[in-house]
Amino acid sequence: MNTYTAKASEVRHGWYLVDAQGKVLGRLATRIAQRLRGKHRPEYTPHVDTGDYIVVVNADKLRVTGKKAQQKMYYRHTGYPGGIRATSFEVLHAKHPHRVLQKAVKGMLPKGPLGNAMLKKLKIYAGEGHPHDAQRPEALEL
């Protein structure tokens, strides 16, 4: 019996549309990360990008549970000594709604070139519209 390994040239990437309205951030992010990684497929191979393209709309209508809106902090560093900056979920979600979901999904993907390639297949939009109608994404209920 031979073990099957998917080859990058043989993998077919589908396009799926996810509506994030009213969804909880973490639960949505885990399901999106699983789809981007390709773990839902029988031909999943850890070192090959077997996932699908995911288009997320209504990212500005995501929600979090409990007091996370005020207490959850996102940190970044400017590169200068003492240059750590903190932003709360509320502020980041109001200014850049897509970054909240993108950061959550990025942390769940592998680090390095493979994870970067998977993250590029995630398209997030704050409103209802998106420019990917030509790819005919199928609606996906997560």
Side-chain angles (χ1 to χ4, degrees), residues 4 6 10-16 34-45 48-53 121:
Y4 176 77
E10 296 174 355
V11 176
R12 297 280 169 240
H13 303 286
W15 282 79
Y16 293 95
Q34 184 182 28
R35 285 276 175 167
L36 288 172
R37 188 104 199 260
K39 286 191 153 192
H40 63 289
R41 295 178 173 222
E43 65 267 9
Y44 166 72
T45 308
V48 178
D49 185 6
T50 56
D52 297 319
Y53 286 86
K121 295 186 306 183

Side-chain angles (χ1 to χ4, degrees), residues 25 63-75 86-94 100:
L25 172 65
R63 65 183 182 93
V64 288
T65 58
K67 296 181 181 178
K68 291 187 198 87
Q70 296 83 29
Q71 294 177 352
K72 182 168 179 55
M73 300 300 283
Y74 293 94
Y75 297 96
T87 309
S88 71
F89 172 86
E90 257 181 342
V91 173
L92 188 62
H93 190 60
V100 173

Side-chain angles (χ1 to χ4, degrees), residues 18 20 23-37 54 56 62-63 74 100-109 119 122 124 142:
V18 176
K23 298 275 175 37
V24 179
L25 172 65
R27 291 168 192 259
L28 181 64
T30 55
R31 294 185 184 120
I32 289 174
Q34 184 182 28
R35 285 276 175 167
L36 288 172
R37 188 104 199 260
I54 305 290
V56 181
L62 270 174
R63 65 183 182 93
Y74 293 94
V100 173
L101 183 60
Q102 185 178 18
K103 283 177 176 283
V105 171
K106 183 179 181 180
M108 299 176 191
L109 294 177
L119 192 64
L122 177 63
I124 305 172
L142 296 178

